[in-house]
Coordinates of all heavy atoms in Angstrom, one line a residue:
M659 N 39.1 -73.5 -16.3 CA 39.2 -74.9 -16.7 C 37.7 -75.4 -16.8 O 36.9 -75.0 -16.1 CB 39.9 -75.7 -15.6 CG 40.1 -77.1 -16.0 SD 41.0 -78.1 -14.7 CE 42.6 -77.7 -15.1
E660 N 37.5 -76.3 -17.8 CA 36.2 -76.8 -18.1 C 35.8 -77.9 -17.1 O 36.8 -78.7 -16.6 CB 36.1 -77.4 -19.5 CG 36.2 -76.4 -20.6 CD 36.0 -77.1 -21.9 OE1 36.2 -78.2 -22.1 OE2 35.5 -76.3 -22.8
L661 N 34.6 -78.1 -16.8 CA 34.2 -79.2 -15.9 C 34.6 -80.6 -16.5 O 35.0 -81.4 -15.7 CB 32.6 -79.1 -15.6 CG 32.1 -80.1 -14.5 CD1 32.8 -79.8 -13.2 CD2 30.6 -79.9 -14.5
K662 N 34.6 -80.7 -17.8 CA 35.0 -81.9 -18.5 C 36.4 -82.3 -18.0 O 36.7 -83.5 -17.7 CB 34.9 -81.6 -20.0 CG 35.3 -82.9 -20.8 CD 35.2 -82.5 -22.3 CE 35.5 -83.7 -23.2 NZ 35.3 -83.4 -24.6
A663 N 37.4 -81.3 -17.9 CA 38.6 -81.6 -17.5 C 38.8 -81.9 -16.0 O 39.5 -82.7 -15.5 CB 39.6 -80.4 -17.9
I664 N 38.0 -81.1 -15.2 CA 38.0 -81.2 -13.8 C 37.6 -82.7 -13.4 O 38.1 -83.2 -12.4 CB 37.1 -80.2 -13.1 CG1 37.7 -78.8 -13.4 CG2 36.9 -80.5 -11.6 CD1 36.7 -77.7 -13.0
L665 N 36.6 -83.3 -14.1 CA 36.0 -84.6 -13.7 C 36.5 -85.6 -14.8 O 35.8 -86.6 -14.9 CB 34.5 -84.4 -13.6 CG 33.9 -83.6 -12.5 CD1 32.4 -83.5 -12.7 CD2 34.4 -84.0 -11.2
A666 N 37.6 -85.3 -15.3 CA 38.1 -86.4 -16.4 C 38.4 -87.8 -15.7 O 38.2 -88.8 -16.4 CB 39.4 -85.8 -17.1
D667 N 38.9 -87.7 -14.6 CA 39.3 -89.0 -13.8 C 38.2 -89.3 -12.8 O 37.4 -88.4 -12.3 CB 40.7 -88.9 -13.2 CG 41.7 -88.6 -14.1 OD1 41.8 -89.3 -15.2 OD2 42.7 -87.8 -13.9
W668 N 38.1 -90.5 -12.4 CA 37.2 -90.9 -11.3 C 37.5 -90.2 -10.1 O 38.6 -90.0 -9.6 CB 37.3 -92.4 -11.0 CG 36.7 -93.3 -12.1 CD1 37.4 -94.1 -12.9 CD2 35.4 -93.5 -12.3 NE1 36.5 -94.7 -13.8 CE2 35.2 -94.4 -13.3 CE3 34.1 -93.0 -11.8 CZ2 34.1 -94.8 -13.9 CZ3 32.9 -93.4 -12.3 CH2 32.9 -94.3 -13.3
R669 N 36.4 -89.6 -9.4 CA 36.5 -88.9 -8.2 C 35.4 -89.3 -7.2 O 34.3 -89.5 -7.7 CB 36.4 -87.4 -8.4 CG 37.4 -86.8 -9.3 CD 37.6 -85.3 -9.1 NE 38.7 -84.9 -9.9 CZ 40.0 -84.9 -9.6 NH1 40.3 -85.4 -8.3 NH2 40.9 -84.4 -10.3
D670 N 35.8 -89.5 -6.0 CA 34.8 -89.9 -4.9 C 33.6 -88.8 -5.0 O 33.9 -87.7 -5.3 CB 35.4 -90.0 -3.6 CG 36.3 -91.1 -3.4 OD1 36.2 -92.1 -4.2 OD2 37.2 -91.1 -2.6
Y671 N 32.5 -89.3 -4.6 CA 31.3 -88.4 -4.6 C 31.5 -87.0 -4.0 O 31.1 -86.0 -4.5 CB 30.1 -89.1 -4.1 CG 30.0 -89.1 -2.6 CD1 29.3 -88.1 -1.9 CD2 30.7 -90.0 -1.8 CE1 29.2 -88.0 -0.5 CE2 30.6 -90.0 -0.5 CZ 29.8 -89.0 0.2 OH 29.9 -88.9 1.6
D672 N 32.2 -87.0 -2.8 CA 32.3 -85.8 -2.0 C 33.3 -84.9 -2.7 O 33.1 -83.7 -2.8 CB 32.6 -86.0 -0.6 CG 33.8 -87.0 -0.4 OD1 34.4 -87.6 -1.4 OD2 34.2 -87.2 0.8
D673 N 34.4 -85.5 -3.3 CA 35.4 -84.7 -4.0 C 34.8 -84.1 -5.3 O 35.0 -83.0 -5.6 CB 36.6 -85.5 -4.2 CG 37.7 -84.7 -5.0 OD1 38.1 -83.6 -4.5 OD2 38.2 -85.2 -6.0
A674 N 34.1 -84.9 -6.1 CA 33.5 -84.5 -7.2 C 32.4 -83.4 -6.9 O 32.4 -82.4 -7.7 CB 32.8 -85.7 -7.9
A675 N 31.7 -83.6 -5.8 CA 30.7 -82.5 -5.6 C 31.4 -81.2 -5.2 O 30.9 -80.1 -5.6 CB 29.7 -83.0 -4.4
F676 N 32.5 -81.3 -4.4 CA 33.2 -80.1 -4.0 C 33.8 -79.4 -5.3 O 33.7 -78.2 -5.4 CB 34.4 -80.5 -3.1 CG 35.3 -79.4 -2.8 CD1 34.9 -78.3 -2.0 CD2 36.6 -79.4 -3.3 CE1 35.8 -77.3 -1.8 CE2 37.5 -78.4 -3.0 CZ 37.1 -77.3 -2.3
R677 N 34.3 -80.2 -6.2 CA 34.9 -79.6 -7.4 C 33.8 -78.9 -8.2 O 34.0 -77.9 -8.9 CB 35.7 -80.6 -8.2 CG 37.1 -81.0 -7.4 CD 37.7 -82.1 -8.0 NE 38.9 -82.5 -7.2 CZ 40.1 -82.1 -7.5 NH1 40.3 -81.3 -8.5 NH2 41.1 -82.6 -6.8
L678 N 32.6 -79.6 -8.3 CA 31.6 -79.0 -9.0 C 31.1 -77.6 -8.3 O 30.9 -76.6 -9.0 CB 30.3 -79.9 -9.0 CG 29.0 -79.3 -9.6 CD1 29.2 -79.0 -11.1 CD2 27.9 -80.3 -9.4
G679 N 31.2 -77.6 -7.0 CA 30.8 -76.4 -6.2 C 31.9 -75.3 -6.5 O 31.5 -74.2 -6.7
V680 N 33.2 -75.6 -6.6 CA 34.2 -74.7 -7.0 C 34.0 -74.1 -8.4 O 34.0 -72.9 -8.7 CB 35.6 -75.2 -6.8 CG1 36.7 -74.3 -7.4 CG2 35.9 -75.6 -5.4
F681 N 33.6 -75.1 -9.3 CA 33.4 -74.7 -10.7 C 32.3 -73.7 -10.8 O 32.2 -72.8 -11.5 CB 33.2 -76.0 -11.5 CG 32.9 -75.7 -12.9 CD1 33.9 -75.4 -13.9 CD2 31.5 -75.8 -13.4 CE1 33.6 -75.2 -15.2 CE2 31.2 -75.5 -14.7 CZ 32.3 -75.2 -15.6
L682 N 31.2 -74.0 -10.0 CA 30.0 -73.2 -10.1 C 30.2 -71.8 -9.4 O 29.3 -71.0 -9.4 CB 28.8 -73.9 -9.5 CG 28.3 -75.1 -10.4 CD1 27.2 -75.8 -9.6 CD2 27.9 -74.7 -11.7
G683 N 31.2 -71.7 -8.6 CA 31.4 -70.5 -7.8 C 30.8 -70.5 -6.4 O 30.8 -69.5 -5.7
V684 N 30.4 -71.7 -6.0 CA 29.8 -71.8 -4.6 C 30.8 -71.7 -3.6 O 30.6 -71.1 -2.6 CB 29.0 -73.2 -4.5 CG1 28.5 -73.4 -3.1 CG2 27.9 -73.3 -5.5
F685 N 32.0 -72.3 -4.0 CA 33.2 -72.2 -3.0 C 34.3 -71.3 -3.8 O 34.4 -71.5 -5.0 CB 33.8 -73.6 -2.7 CG 32.7 -74.5 -2.2 CD1 32.3 -75.6 -2.8 CD2 32.2 -74.3 -0.9 CE1 31.4 -76.5 -2.3 CE2 31.3 -75.2 -0.3 CZ 30.9 -76.3 -1.0
P686 N 35.0 -70.6 -3.1 CA 36.0 -69.8 -3.7 C 37.2 -70.7 -4.2 O 37.4 -71.8 -3.6 CB 36.6 -68.8 -2.6 CG 36.1 -69.4 -1.3 CD 35.0 -70.3 -1.6
P687 N 37.9 -70.3 -5.2 CA 38.9 -71.1 -5.7 C 40.0 -71.6 -4.7 O 40.5 -72.7 -4.8 CB 39.6 -70.3 -6.8 CG 38.6 -69.3 -7.2 CD 37.8 -69.1 -6.0
G688 N 40.3 -70.9 -3.7 CA 41.2 -71.2 -2.7 C 40.7 -72.1 -1.5 O 41.4 -72.5 -0.7
Q689 N 39.3 -72.4 -1.6 CA 38.7 -73.2 -0.5 C 39.4 -74.5 -0.4 O 39.6 -75.2 -1.4 CB 37.3 -73.4 -0.8 CG 36.5 -74.1 0.2 CD 36.2 -73.3 1.4 OE1 35.6 -72.2 1.3 NE2 36.6 -73.8 2.6
K690 N 39.6 -75.0 0.7 CA 40.2 -76.4 1.0 C 39.0 -77.3 1.2 O 38.1 -77.0 2.0 CB 41.1 -76.4 2.1 CG 42.4 -75.7 1.9 CD 43.4 -75.8 3.0 CE 44.6 -74.9 2.7 NZ 45.5 -74.8 3.9
F691 N 39.1 -78.5 0.6 CA 38.1 -79.5 0.8 C 37.9 -79.9 2.3 O 36.8 -80.0 2.8 CB 38.3 -80.8 -0.1 CG 37.4 -81.9 0.2 CD1 36.0 -81.8 -0.2 CD2 37.9 -83.0 0.9 CE1 35.2 -82.9 0.0 CE2 37.0 -84.1 1.1 CZ 35.7 -84.0 0.7
S692 N 39.0 -80.0 3.0 CA 39.0 -80.3 4.4 C 38.1 -79.4 5.2 O 37.6 -79.8 6.3 CB 40.4 -80.5 5.0 OG 41.0 -79.2 4.9
E693 N 38.0 -78.1 4.8 CA 37.2 -77.2 5.5 C 35.7 -77.3 5.4 O 34.9 -76.8 6.2 CB 37.7 -75.8 5.1 CG 39.1 -75.5 5.4 CD 39.6 -74.1 4.8 OE1 38.9 -73.6 3.9 OE2 40.7 -73.7 5.3
V694 N 35.3 -78.0 4.3 CA 33.9 -78.2 4.0 C 33.4 -79.6 3.8 O 32.2 -79.8 3.6 CB 33.4 -77.4 2.7 CG1 33.7 -75.9 3.0 CG2 34.2 -77.9 1.6
K695 N 34.2 -80.5 4.1 CA 33.9 -82.0 3.8 C 32.7 -82.4 4.6 O 31.9 -83.3 4.1 CB 35.2 -82.8 3.9 CG 35.5 -83.1 5.3 CD 36.7 -84.0 5.3 CE 37.3 -84.2 6.8 NZ 38.5 -85.0 6.8
R696 N 32.5 -81.9 5.8 CA 31.4 -82.3 6.6 C 30.0 -82.1 5.9 O 29.1 -82.9 6.2 CB 31.4 -81.6 8.0 CG 31.0 -80.1 7.9 CD 31.2 -79.4 9.2 NE 31.0 -78.0 9.1 CZ 31.9 -77.1 8.6 NH1 33.0 -77.5 8.1 NH2 31.5 -75.9 8.4
M697 N 30.0 -81.1 5.1 CA 28.7 -80.9 4.4 C 28.3 -81.9 3.3 O 27.2 -82.0 3.0 CB 28.5 -79.4 3.8 CG 29.3 -79.2 2.5 SD 29.0 -77.6 1.8 CE 29.0 -76.5 3.2
F698 N 29.3 -82.7 2.9 CA 29.0 -83.8 2.1 C 28.9 -85.2 2.8 O 28.3 -86.1 2.2 CB 30.1 -83.9 1.0 CG 30.4 -82.7 0.2 CD1 31.4 -81.8 0.5 CD2 29.5 -82.3 -0.8 CE1 31.6 -80.6 -0.2 CE2 29.6 -81.1 -1.5 CZ 30.7 -80.3 -1.2
R699 N 29.4 -85.2 3.9 CA 29.4 -86.5 4.6 C 28.4 -86.6 5.8 O 28.3 -87.6 6.5 CB 30.8 -86.8 5.2 CG 31.9 -86.9 4.1 CD 33.2 -87.2 4.6 NE 34.1 -87.5 3.5 CZ 35.4 -87.6 3.6 NH1 35.9 -87.8 4.8 NH2 36.2 -87.8 2.6
T700 N 27.7 -85.5 6.0 CA 26.7 -85.5 7.1 C 25.3 -85.1 6.5 O 25.2 -84.2 5.7 CB 27.1 -84.3 8.2 OG1 28.4 -84.6 8.6 CG2 26.2 -84.4 9.3
D701 N 24.4 -85.8 7.0 CA 23.0 -85.7 6.4 C 22.5 -84.3 6.9 O 22.9 -83.9 8.0 CB 22.1 -86.8 7.0 CG 22.2 -88.0 6.2 OD1 22.8 -88.0 5.0 OD2 21.8 -89.1 6.7
G702 N 21.7 -83.6 6.2 CA 21.1 -82.4 6.6 C 21.8 -81.1 6.2 O 21.3 -80.0 6.5
Y703 N 22.8 -81.3 5.3 CA 23.5 -80.0 4.7 C 22.9 -79.9 3.2 O 23.3 -80.6 2.3 CB 25.0 -80.2 4.6 CG 25.6 -79.9 6.0 CD1 25.9 -81.0 6.8 CD2 26.0 -78.6 6.3 CE1 26.6 -80.7 8.0 CE2 26.7 -78.3 7.5 CZ 26.9 -79.4 8.3 OH 27.5 -79.1 9.5
P704 N 21.9 -79.0 3.1 CA 21.3 -78.8 1.8 C 22.2 -78.6 0.7 O 22.0 -79.1 -0.5 CB 20.3 -77.6 2.0 CG 20.1 -77.6 3.4 CD 21.4 -78.1 4.1
L705 N 23.2 -77.7 0.9 CA 24.1 -77.4 -0.2 C 24.9 -78.7 -0.6 O 25.1 -79.0 -1.9 CB 25.2 -76.4 0.2 CG 26.2 -75.9 -0.8 CD1 25.5 -75.5 -2.1 CD2 27.1 -74.9 -0.3
G706 N 25.4 -79.5 0.2 CA 26.1 -80.7 -0.1 C 25.2 -81.7 -0.8 O 25.6 -82.3 -1.8
E707 N 24.0 -81.8 -0.3 CA 23.0 -82.7 -0.9 C 22.6 -82.2 -2.3 O 22.5 -83.1 -3.3 CB 21.8 -82.8 -0.1 CG 22.0 -83.6 1.3 CD 20.8 -83.5 2.1 OE1 19.8 -82.9 1.8 OE2 21.0 -84.1 3.3
M708 N 22.5 -80.9 -2.5 CA 22.2 -80.4 -3.8 C 23.3 -80.7 -4.9 O 23.0 -81.1 -6.0 CB 21.9 -78.9 -3.8 CG 21.5 -78.2 -5.0 SD 22.8 -77.6 -6.1 CE 23.7 -76.5 -5.0
L709 N 24.6 -80.5 -4.5 CA 25.7 -80.7 -5.4 C 25.8 -82.2 -5.8 O 26.0 -82.5 -7.0 CB 27.0 -80.1 -4.8 CG 27.0 -78.7 -4.7 CD1 28.3 -78.3 -3.8 CD2 27.2 -78.0 -6.0
V710 N 25.5 -83.1 -4.8 CA 25.6 -84.5 -5.2 C 24.4 -84.9 -6.1 O 24.5 -85.6 -7.0 CB 25.6 -85.4 -3.9 CG1 25.4 -86.9 -4.2 CG2 26.9 -85.2 -3.1
D711 N 23.3 -84.2 -5.8 CA 22.1 -84.4 -6.6 C 22.4 -84.0 -8.1 O 21.9 -84.7 -9.0 CB 20.9 -83.7 -6.0 CG 19.6 -84.0 -6.9 OD1 19.3 -85.1 -7.0 OD2 18.9 -83.0 -7.3
V712 N 23.0 -82.9 -8.2 CA 23.3 -82.4 -9.6 C 24.3 -83.5 -10.3 O 24.1 -83.8 -11.4 CB 24.1 -81.1 -9.6 CG1 24.7 -80.7 -10.9 CG2 23.1 -79.9 -9.1
L713 N 25.2 -84.0 -9.6 CA 26.1 -85.1 -10.2 C 25.2 -86.3 -10.5 O 25.4 -86.9 -11.6 CB 27.1 -85.6 -9.2 CG 28.3 -84.5 -8.8 CD1 29.0 -85.1 -7.7 CD2 29.0 -84.1 -10.0
D714 N 24.3 -86.7 -9.7 CA 23.4 -87.8 -10.1 C 22.6 -87.5 -11.3 O 22.4 -88.3 -12.1 CB 22.4 -88.1 -8.9 CG 23.1 -88.9 -7.8 OD1 24.2 -89.6 -8.0 OD2 22.6 -88.9 -6.6
R715 N 22.1 -86.4 -11.4 CA 21.3 -85.9 -12.5 C 22.0 -85.9 -13.8 O 21.7 -86.3 -14.9 CB 20.6 -84.5 -12.3 CG 19.5 -84.6 -11.3 CD 19.0 -83.2 -11.0 NE 17.9 -83.3 -10.0 CZ 16.7 -83.1 -10.2 NH1 16.3 -82.9 -11.4 NH2 15.8 -83.2 -9.3
M716 N 23.4 -85.4 -13.6 CA 24.3 -85.5 -14.8 C 24.6 -86.8 -15.3 O 24.7 -87.1 -16.5 CB 25.6 -84.6 -14.5 CG 25.3 -83.2 -14.3 SD 26.8 -82.3 -13.9 CE 27.7 -82.3 -15.3
A717 N 24.7 -87.8 -14.3 CA 24.9 -89.2 -14.7 C 23.7 -89.8 -15.3 O 23.9 -90.5 -16.3 CB 25.3 -90.0 -13.4
R718 N 22.5 -89.5 -14.8 CA 21.3 -90.0 -15.5 C 21.1 -89.5 -16.9 O 20.7 -90.1 -17.8 CB 20.1 -89.7 -14.7 CG 19.9 -90.5 -13.5 CD 18.5 -90.4 -12.8 NE 18.1 -89.1 -12.4 CZ 18.4 -88.6 -11.3 NH1 19.1 -89.3 -10.3 NH2 18.0 -87.4 -10.9
A719 N 21.6 -88.2 -17.1 CA 21.6 -87.7 -18.5 C 22.7 -88.2 -19.4 O 22.6 -87.9 -20.6 CB 21.7 -86.1 -18.4
G720 N 23.6 -88.9 -18.8 CA 24.7 -89.4 -19.7 C 25.9 -88.6 -19.8 O 26.8 -89.0 -20.4
V721 N 25.9 -87.5 -19.0 CA 27.1 -86.6 -19.1 C 28.2 -87.1 -18.3 O 29.4 -87.0 -18.7 CB 26.7 -85.1 -18.7 CG1 27.9 -84.2 -18.6 CG2 25.6 -84.5 -19.5
L722 N 27.9 -87.7 -17.1 CA 28.8 -88.3 -16.3 C 28.6 -89.8 -16.2 O 27.5 -90.3 -16.5 CB 28.7 -87.7 -14.9 CG 29.0 -86.2 -14.7 CD1 28.7 -85.9 -13.1 CD2 30.3 -85.9 -15.1
L723 N 29.7 -90.5 -15.9 CA 29.5 -92.0 -15.5 C 29.6 -92.1 -14.0 O 30.3 -91.3 -13.3 CB 30.7 -92.8 -16.1 CG 30.9 -92.7 -17.6 CD1 32.2 -93.4 -18.0 CD2 29.6 -93.3 -18.3
K724 N 28.8 -92.9 -13.4 CA 28.7 -93.2 -12.0 C 29.0 -94.5 -11.7 O 28.4 -95.5 -12.2 CB 27.3 -92.8 -11.5 CG 27.2 -92.9 -10.0 CD 25.8 -92.5 -9.4 CE 25.8 -92.6 -7.9 NZ 24.5 -92.3 -7.4
D725 N 30.0 -94.8 -10.8 CA 30.3 -96.0 -10.3 C 29.6 -96.2 -8.9 O 29.9 -95.6 -7.9 CB 31.8 -96.1 -10.1 CG 32.3 -97.4 -9.4 OD1 31.4 -98.2 -9.0 OD2 33.5 -97.6 -9.3
E726 N 28.4 -96.8 -9.0 CA 27.5 -97.0 -7.8 C 28.2 -97.7 -6.6 O 28.1 -97.3 -5.4 CB 26.3 -97.8 -8.2 CG 25.4 -97.1 -9.1 CD 24.5 -96.1 -8.5 OE1 24.4 -96.1 -7.2 OE2 23.8 -95.4 -9.2
E727 N 29.1 -98.7 -6.9 CA 29.7 -99.5 -5.9 C 30.7 -98.6 -5.1 O 30.8 -98.8 -3.8 CB 30.5 -100.7 -6.5 CG 31.1 -101.6 -5.5 CD 31.6 -102.8 -6.1 OE1 31.0 -103.4 -7.2 OE2 32.6 -103.3 -5.6
D728 N 31.4 -97.8 -5.7 CA 32.5 -97.0 -5.0 C 32.1 -95.6 -4.9 O 32.8 -94.7 -4.3 CB 33.8 -97.0 -5.8 CG 34.4 -98.4 -5.7 OD1 34.3 -99.1 -4.7 OD2 35.2 -98.8 -6.6
A729 N 30.8 -95.2 -5.2 CA 30.2 -93.9 -5.0 C 31.2 -92.8 -5.6 O 31.7 -91.9 -4.9 CB 29.9 -93.5 -3.6
R730 N 31.5 -92.9 -7.0 CA 32.4 -92.0 -7.6 C 31.9 -91.6 -9.0 O 31.1 -92.4 -9.5 CB 33.8 -92.5 -7.6 CG 33.9 -93.8 -8.3 CD 35.4 -94.4 -8.2 NE 35.5 -95.6 -9.0 CZ 36.4 -96.1 -9.5 NH1 37.7 -95.5 -9.3 NH2 36.5 -97.1 -10.3
Y731 N 32.3 -90.5 -9.5 CA 31.9 -90.0 -10.8 C 33.1 -89.7 -11.7 O 34.1 -89.4 -11.2 CB 31.1 -88.8 -10.6 CG 29.9 -89.0 -9.8 CD1 29.9 -88.8 -8.4 CD2 28.6 -89.1 -10.4 CE1 28.8 -88.9 -7.6 CE2 27.5 -89.2 -9.6 CZ 27.5 -89.2 -8.2 OH 26.5 -89.3 -7.4
R732 N 32.8 -89.6 -13.0 CA 33.8 -89.1 -13.9 C 33.1 -88.6 -15.1 O 32.0 -89.1 -15.4 CB 34.9 -90.0 -14.3 CG 34.6 -91.1 -15.1 CD 35.7 -91.9 -15.6 NE 35.4 -92.8 -16.7 CZ 36.1 -93.1 -17.7 NH1 37.3 -92.6 -17.8 NH2 35.6 -93.9 -18.6
W733 N 33.7 -87.8 -15.9 CA 33.1 -87.3 -17.1 C 32.9 -88.4 -18.1 O 33.8 -89.3 -18.3 CB 34.0 -86.2 -17.8 CG 33.3 -85.4 -18.9 CD1 33.3 -85.7 -20.3 CD2 32.4 -84.4 -18.7 NE1 32.5 -84.8 -20.9 CE2 31.9 -84.0 -20.0 CE3 31.9 -83.7 -17.6 CZ2 31.0 -82.9 -20.2 CZ3 31.1 -82.6 -17.8 CH2 30.6 -82.3 -19.0
N734 N 31.8 -88.6 -18.8 CA 31.6 -89.6 -19.8 C 32.3 -89.2 -21.1 O 31.9 -88.3 -21.7 CB 30.1 -89.7 -20.1 CG 29.8 -91.0 -20.9 OD1 30.7 -91.6 -21.6 ND2 28.5 -91.4 -21.0
P735 N 33.4 -90.0 -21.5 CA 34.1 -89.5 -22.7 C 33.3 -89.7 -24.0 O 33.6 -89.1 -25.1 CB 35.3 -90.5 -22.7 CG 35.0 -91.7 -21.9 CD 33.9 -91.1 -20.9
E736 N 32.2 -90.5 -23.9 CA 31.3 -90.7 -25.1 C 29.8 -90.5 -24.7 O 29.1 -91.5 -24.7 CB 31.5 -92.1 -25.6 CG 32.9 -92.3 -26.1 CD 33.2 -93.7 -26.6 OE1 32.1 -94.4 -26.9 OE2 34.3 -94.1 -26.7
P737 N 29.5 -89.3 -24.3 CA 28.1 -89.0 -23.9 C 27.1 -89.2 -25.1 O 27.2 -88.4 -26.0 CB 28.1 -87.6 -23.3 CG 29.2 -87.0 -24.0 CD 30.2 -88.1 -24.3
G738 N 26.3 -90.1 -25.1 CA 25.3 -90.4 -26.0 C 24.1 -89.4 -26.0 O 23.8 -89.0 -25.0
G739 N 23.7 -89.0 -27.2 CA 22.5 -88.1 -27.2 C 22.8 -86.7 -27.0 O 21.8 -85.8 -26.9
L740 N 24.0 -86.3 -26.8 CA 24.3 -84.9 -26.6 C 24.8 -84.2 -27.9 O 25.5 -84.9 -28.6 CB 25.4 -84.7 -25.4 CG 24.9 -85.2 -24.1 CD1 26.0 -85.1 -23.1 CD2 23.7 -84.4 -23.6
P741 N 24.5 -83.0 -28.0 CA 25.0 -82.3 -29.3 C 26.5 -82.2 -29.3 O 27.2 -82.2 -28.3 CB 24.3 -80.9 -29.3 CG 23.7 -80.8 -27.9 CD 23.7 -82.1 -27.2

């Protein structure tokens, strides 16, 4: 499945980062979010911070939309400036 489909709907930052991690192969496909959620919700977990940073960078590039108020992301259906 493409990341575009995985992030088609709004997802909280931790769920979006987890799904990005599964997509990238960081977490195995059968991994449960509940087993790793602490790495997204606790400071000092480099992997969790890196995955959220990737989401932020994708939002700055226009690939994702970011809802700052609710800390959530989704795929930008009309990403400007991309081929």
Side-chain angles (χ1 to χ4, degrees):
M659 181 178 284
E660 292 184 337
L661 189 58
K662 180 178 182 176
I664 294 167
L665 298 177
D667 297 319
W668 285 109
R669 300 207 174 271
D670 291 336
Y671 80 96
D672 50 357
D673 181 51
F676 172 70
R677 289 172 185 263
L678 174 62
V680 172
F681 177 78
L682 294 174
V684 174
F685 305 113
Q689 180 80 55
K690 293 181 182 176
F691 174 68
S692 61
E693 297 170 344
V694 296
K695 69 180 176 182
R696 71 185 174 283
M697 76 173 43
F698 300 105
R699 297 184 179 176
T700 305
D701 288 339
Y703 280 91
L705 179 58
E707 291 174 359
M708 182 269 305
L709 290 168
V710 173
D711 184 54
V712 170
L713 294 173
D714 283 337
R715 289 172 181 256
M716 291 176 74
R718 284 194 301 273
V721 176
L722 299 178
L723 299 175
K724 181 179 181 182
D725 177 353
E726 295 278 350
E727 188 172 323
D728 291 329
R730 58 189 187 154
Y731 300 85
R732 77 173 188 143
W733 195 265
N734 186 351
E736 300 177 18
L740 295 175

